[in-house]
Amino acid sequence: QLVYPHDFRLTEKEKTSICYLSFPDSYSGGLGDTQFSFRLRQAGGSRSSPFQDDGRYNREAPVTLQREATHYFGYVYFRQVKDSSMRRGYFQKSLVLVSRLPYVNLFQCLLQLIAPEYFDKLEPCLEAVCNEIDQWPPPAPGQTLNLPVMGVVIQVRIPSRVDKPGSSPVKQCNQENLLPAPLVLPSVHELDLFRCFQPVLIHIQMLWELMLLGEPMVVMAPSPTVSSEMVLALTSCLAPLRYCCDFRPYFTIHDSEFKEYTTRTQAPPNIVVGVTNPFFIKTLQHWPHILRVGELRMSGDLPKQVKVKKLAKLKTLDAKPGIYTSYKTFLHKDKTLIKRLLKGIQRKRPSEVQSALLRRHLLELTQSFIIPLEHYMASLMPLQRAITPWKNPPQIRPFCQEDFMKSLEHAGPQLTCVLKGDWLGLYRRFFKSPNFDGWFRQRHREMTQKLEALHLEAICEADIVAWMKDKSEVEIVDLVLKLREKLVRARCQHLPVKEETLQRVSLYIDTVIGSLPEDLQAVLHH
């Protein structure tokens, strides 16, 4: 019905997809308001964002919270109430917020404030809200922002890459006598993991492995709310490692990728997809891992834990909740985690405390797995003394899986993790996954940039005048061109180099040009 701001361009295909994804696609008898989220592939590759950002946000934000380049997130507030004046006897409407940022808590909180007003007052309400949001500061990692909207101030801290993983959010002290007192969100994005994972707590190890290996997985849930929360919880359980595969928190049979995912002529893609329509039980039967969950109910005791079942059992529409898979975990179960969570339930510990326990466990597991890889990767960096000013910087040595495996004997995950099992087998499988590829590329890019930065510093320390003494004009002109190119690259790629280093290189270039005959000087200055 309405896109606001009016100048925001969506293709027809995107509009159709958003429409289908904004409503529950299977009968839900529930009346009232529900909230859920989806993720949508952008039509026609990446388009430039309407926001001026030189990439700084993505450099400073944790990799798990970077702005998406080729996907949108949709955050939905859906209302269904009986209304005899409507043709179908119901009022059904969704307000959807579309963003490239995965700030599920912030945006759902925002919708809780806006949507009820919007259903009442329609477009003028959105206009007023957008005028307020236009005044908000951009999300700067590491900063606490006060965001006024509709008479409320939402206060939230944007996480930064330099935050210590697993540290609790910094207590916000800049209340600056805000009146009314702000609505403080503990996190822009972290879900209540304990609530999301309630029916599968005893299988958390298996789910973590399936996510780490980028295995294709279907979450079958009774509602888009349960499906989207479960998918987002699953993809977040590798933090601080980025989940590099595709994921769809909510997916319908009308989706343009429906054929691609349901075809039996090729293996299912590396994706976690959340569905609610029982029809998917038939069409996605050939997928290797299917998690079927019921409604999430918070109760005083440990909810019924689903069982791991054979895929063949998933034939009928009334299939019971369970993890339908033949996957055998590489690592043994962590009994102590379950005991601690059970104790928490008996002592009526608040859900956020239980979630923190769970998040800490997953973080330690991921770090135990990743630290040996980080150490080995660091050993591939050339020595600093091998970096000389007048030669191209040396190459990073290639990653050799067998060498890495040998390094595990004395520096493996067993040093930081009590879990026993086939760690080597897990690494071997991980090397074939998109998550390894994504992690490796990012690390390699960071190391290459570090080498460039060290090379520029080496040039700064060098005696350029002495070097020029016995060089021909051709060699000197060649040096000027190379240095210029390095300078441009350093600025474009925002290399980790001090500004004074860049200025000194700039000065060097001028010095070198000044030593050349005037005709060459004119050409180079030009």
Side-chain angles (χ1 to χ4, degrees), residues 328-341:
K328 296 278 178 282
T329 55
F330 286 92
L331 306 180
H332 306 321
K333 254 187 203 153
D334 186 353
K335 302 258 172 52
T336 52
L337 172 74
I338 302 300
K339 283 181 185 147
R340 287 171 74 187
L341 291 171

Side-chain angles (χ1 to χ4, degrees), residues 165-167 237 239-240 358-368:
S167 59
C237 71
L358 204 46
R359 194 167 273 114
R360 164 127 247 127
H361 168 78
L362 290 165
L363 171 74
E364 285 169 0
L365 196 52
T366 301
Q367 284 180 323
S368 294

Side-chain angles (χ1 to χ4, degrees), residues 399-419:
F399 189 105
C400 169
Q401 292 181 13
E402 286 317 307
D403 287 354
F404 167 71
M405 291 303 209
K406 285 191 193 108
S407 77
L408 291 176
E409 288 164 25
H410 50 86
Q414 69 280 4
L415 299 181
T416 51
C417 188
V418 292
L419 283 188

Side-chain angles (χ1 to χ4, degrees), residues 218-358:
V218 186
V219 173
M220 290 184 176
S223 69
T225 310
V226 177
S227 120
S228 58
E229 285 197 342
M230 182 62 95
V231 171
L232 291 176
L234 285 167
T235 54
S236 75
C237 71
L238 295 184
L241 188 65
R242 183 183 184 149
Y243 178 76
C244 297
C245 309
D246 198 356
F247 60 99
R248 298 299 157 92
Y250 172 53
F251 186 76
T252 75
I253 53 177
H254 304 286
D255 207 286
S256 52
E257 277 106 57
F258 177 73
K259 280 199 177 69
E260 192 183 316
Y261 294 165
T262 51
T263 173
R264 293 180 182 236
T265 53
Q266 58 203 56
N270 300 90
I271 178 175
V272 182
V273 51
V275 301
T276 61
N277 193 324
F279 180 67
F280 280 109
I281 288 189
K282 281 202 196 76
T283 52
L284 297 178
Q285 245 171 25
H286 59 296
W287 279 47
H289 319 287
I290 296 174
L291 168 58
R292 183 161 170 118
V293 284
E295 278 295 348
L296 294 180
R297 288 190 185 84
M298 284 299 265
S299 56
D301 46 1
L302 183 69
K304 193 163 179 229
Q305 296 294 292
V306 306
K307 294 189 168 66
V308 175
K309 306 180 179 190
K310 292 195 170 61
L311 276 159
K313 293 256 169 72
L314 191 73
K315 285 280 184 276
T316 55
L317 291 183
D318 57 353
K320 298 269 182 296
I323 301 180
Y324 293 84
T325 179
S326 55
Y327 180 80
K328 296 278 178 282
T329 55
F330 286 92
L331 306 180
H332 306 321
K333 254 187 203 153
D334 186 353
K335 302 258 172 52
T336 52
L337 172 74
I338 302 300
K339 283 181 185 147
R340 287 171 74 187
L341 291 171
L342 270 171
K343 194 176 272 179
I345 289 171
Q346 285 153 5
R347 293 185 178 167
K348 302 205 169 13
R349 247 188 238 137
S351 186
E352 56 268 25
V353 178
Q354 296 278 71
S355 279
L357 259 177
L358 204 46

Side-chain angles (χ1 to χ4, degrees), residues 494-517:
H494 302 275
L495 294 184
V497 188
K498 295 188 193 81
E499 184 55 38
E500 59 191 282
T501 304
L502 297 178
Q503 283 168 357
R504 278 177 70 183
V505 173
S506 208
L507 207 63
Y508 267 20
I509 293 173
D510 293 342
T511 310
V512 177
I513 292 176
S515 73
L516 292 164

